[in-house]
Amino acid sequence: MLQFGALMIPYEQARQIVIEQAAAHRGGRPTVALPLQEALGYVLAQEIRTDREYPPFDRSTRDGYAVHAAEAAAGSTLRCVGEIRAGDSVGEALAAGDCVQIMTGAAVPAGADAVVMIEFTRREGEEVTFERGTQPGQNIVARGSEARAGQLALQAGFRLGFAELAVAGQVGAATVNCYRKPSVAILSTGDEVVSITETPGPFHIRNSNSVSLGAQVRLAGGSPVVLGHTLDRVEDLSAKIEEGLRHDILVLSGGVSMGKYDLVESVLKGLGAAFYFDAVAIRPGKPAVFGRCGNTWVFGLPGNPVSTMVTFQLLVVPAIDVLSGSEARPLPLLEATLATPIKEKAVLTHFVPARLEWQGRIPRVTLLTWQGSGDISALTRANCFVVVPADRLDIAAREKVSVLPRFDVL
Ligand code: AMP
Ligand code: MG
């Protein structure tokens, strides 16, 4: 049997293993046809092509006058022969010596090759005088210049955010074929854990991990199935775990440390699980476990709430990404100036709750005082974690550090 910590690896490598394994066993994911309005956060299982040219006509980008550029030199005057509003159909070409008032988004008439902004004109009756010259093409987006008809607009594998939804809507894709969200079972373990609707005894704690994990699964693009909690007993654990193994991913909290009643790993093994790692060189979160049991990916996350949250963001999010049909999002690490010095002890990569603020454009990060990985109230003030590398446990104020934003806040 695997010794605890025998497979301890850096978190970057752990993520890589999760991504590679999930991609290798992704298989043909089931799909669902969704009305566009309900498809936010889903991943496209089809490509979407343009139905016509974009823009479909030469479009004015300004309110002003459509002109022959050569006739609208600074100081020249042209006769205004009418107006074109957005949505109007235009048939007649613009005659020499004429101009026509035009609105943003309206079609530029044949012959006209520029639009002069209304701000640079003076009008008396039908006479329009131009205060500045113009260039051919100015303030016009040419027909077909954004996209040709039948061109690829969105690829399969794209996650549908607001811009992608808008493009689908623009080309008339009112229903879109998407991958079903991976189903993620959530199971908390621990003799001390009671449901959030119960009144805990003096030495019991409410199951907040199932709440945070459910929210994190949803935010990451998975479909959470909360299985509640189980005692640290082999029979109870086995029964609940078997329930969880009906899903794409099973995330357990608690029971993966070295205590006498930390049984998750051995129960999973008994059910046939194989592990890719069973410790990650991070704090909080070192005992995190990743394996496969039957057709289900299994994550055993430590039960301390902040450890659970950090390991979820680092390790489970990429699995949900891949099983959603898209690429794993990179960790959005950024650099910030440290406001308070850091002193950490253990030789592990530390993720320290912190607050990122911007002074002008310079990001500045301040560590929060916290009582360790049980202190979730500290996290409500944190919008990020400072990533302290194992070889730099002492960092002075004003040095640059690497920061991992909390994936629901920044
Ligand atoms: P464990 O990883 O099982 O050793 O759990 C470590 C600590 O995390 C426990 O002593 C509890 O204080 C806390 N904890 C475990 N499970 C939960 C849970 N479901 N919700 C909130 N806190 C928990
Ligand atoms: Mg426990």
Side-chain angles (χ1 to χ4, degrees):
M1 180 169 165
L2 205 67
Q3 288 295 301
F4 171 78
L7 298 178
M8 180 155 95
I9 53 174
Y11 79 90
E12 297 93 334
Q13 193 186 341
R15 280 174 56 83
Q16 209 45 47
I17 289 174
V18 169
I19 292 166
E20 280 166 15
Q21 290 301 328
H25 294 87
R26 177 159 50 185
R29 305 284 313 159
T31 61
V32 56
L34 292 171
L36 196 55
Q37 299 292 357
E38 287 166 30
L40 177 67
Y42 279 83
V43 175
L44 269 179
Q46 63 168 101
E47 60 177 31
I48 292 181
R49 292 185 174 271
T50 51
D51 57 324
R52 57 177 180 168
E53 292 180 297
Y54 286 91
F57 50 82
D58 293 334
R59 185 180 62 209
S60 175
T61 63
R62 293 281 190 264
D63 296 315
Y65 291 92
V67 297
H68 303 278
E71 294 179 349
S76 58
T77 297
L78 295 171
R79 189 171 67 104
C80 179
V81 293
E83 70 170 31
I84 306 171
R85 300 162 57 154
D88 282 353
S89 45
V90 288
E92 267 172 60
L94 187 68
D98 289 349
C99 67
V100 64
Q101 190 165 11
I102 193 165
M103 313 303 153
T104 301
V108 176
D113 62 356
V115 169
V116 180
M117 287 167 68
I118 198 150
E119 290 87 336
F120 303 139
T121 64
R122 267 180 292 120
R123 180 159 179 176
E124 279 170 47
E126 292 182 354
E127 308 271 275
V128 181
T129 302
F130 297 91
E131 293 172 346
R132 298 188 181 185
T134 183
Q135 302 295 323
Q138 199 163 27
N139 300 323
I140 296 175
V141 180
R143 170 178 179 167
S145 63
E146 290 169 4
R148 301 181 311 279
Q151 186 179 320
L152 191 61
L154 296 170
Q155 285 177 8
F158 271 33
R159 187 178 295 279
L160 295 169
F162 54 82
E164 292 75 15
L165 289 173
V167 167
Q170 184 184 45
V171 304
T175 303
V176 284
N177 212 26
C178 297
Y179 292 108
R180 278 191 190 281
K181 292 187 173 184
S183 156
V184 184
I186 295 164
L187 177 58
S188 295
T189 71
D191 291 337
E192 74 280 33
V193 177
V194 301
S195 143
I196 59 165
T197 55
E198 281 175 63
T199 306
F203 303 105
H204 291 155
I205 53 158
R206 291 196 183 90
N207 182 4
S208 66
N209 282 351
S210 285
V211 179
S212 59
L213 285 169
Q216 285 187 304
V217 167
R218 216 180 281 284
L219 282 163
S223 176
V225 180
V226 178
L227 300 181
H229 60 94
T230 167
L231 298 171
D232 294 315
R233 281 191 215 131
V234 173
E235 314 75 57
D236 300 75
L237 258 174
S238 299
K240 278 286 196 186
I241 286 177
E242 283 191 317
E243 226 181 290
L245 294 177
R246 295 191 208 124
H247 301 271
D248 296 308
I249 300 175
L250 167 60
V251 179
L252 292 127
S253 99
V256 286
S257 301
M258 289 212 277
K260 187 172 165 197
Y261 298 102
D262 289 327
L263 303 170
V264 164
E265 220 175 318
S266 61
V267 169
L268 280 168
K269 260 211 164 82
L271 292 169
F275 296 104
Y276 300 95
F277 55 81
D278 78 342
V280 184
I282 53 174
R283 172 177 280 183
K286 183 174 150 193
V289 171
F290 170 60
R292 187 161 172 86
C293 196
N295 291 321
T296 300
W297 297 109
V298 184
F299 291 89
L301 308 183
N304 264 315
V306 180
S307 316
T308 318
M309 293 172 191
V310 169
T311 47
F312 184 95
Q313 179 164 355
L314 292 177
L315 304 173
V316 187
V317 171
I320 293 178
D321 276 348
V322 173
L323 296 183
S324 303
S326 68
E327 305 236 310
R329 276 166 277 198
L331 267 193
L333 294 169
L334 51 93
E335 200 177 62
T337 306
L338 189 61
T340 39
I342 291 179
K343 263 194 196 309
E344 293 290 338
K345 286 187 212 87
V347 185
L348 296 166
T349 303
H350 290 240
F351 290 83
V352 189
R355 180 131 201 112
L356 191 61
E357 267 147 352
W358 278 263
Q359 292 183 325
R361 277 178 294 155
I362 312 292
R364 223 173 89 99
V365 66
T366 310
L367 298 191
L368 297 171
T369 46
W370 70 314
Q371 304 306 320
S373 50
D375 187 0
I376 20 179
S377 69
L379 266 211
T380 62
R381 285 170 275 124
N383 57 5
C384 70
F385 301 93
V386 172
V387 187
V388 185
D391 57 355
R392 288 295 322 276
L393 299 181
D394 235 327
I395 307 180
R398 287 195 291 282
E399 280 200 58
K400 292 264 191 281
V401 288
S402 179
V403 168
L404 175 65
R406 239 179 83 175
F407 77 108
D408 58 340
V409 179
L410 288 174

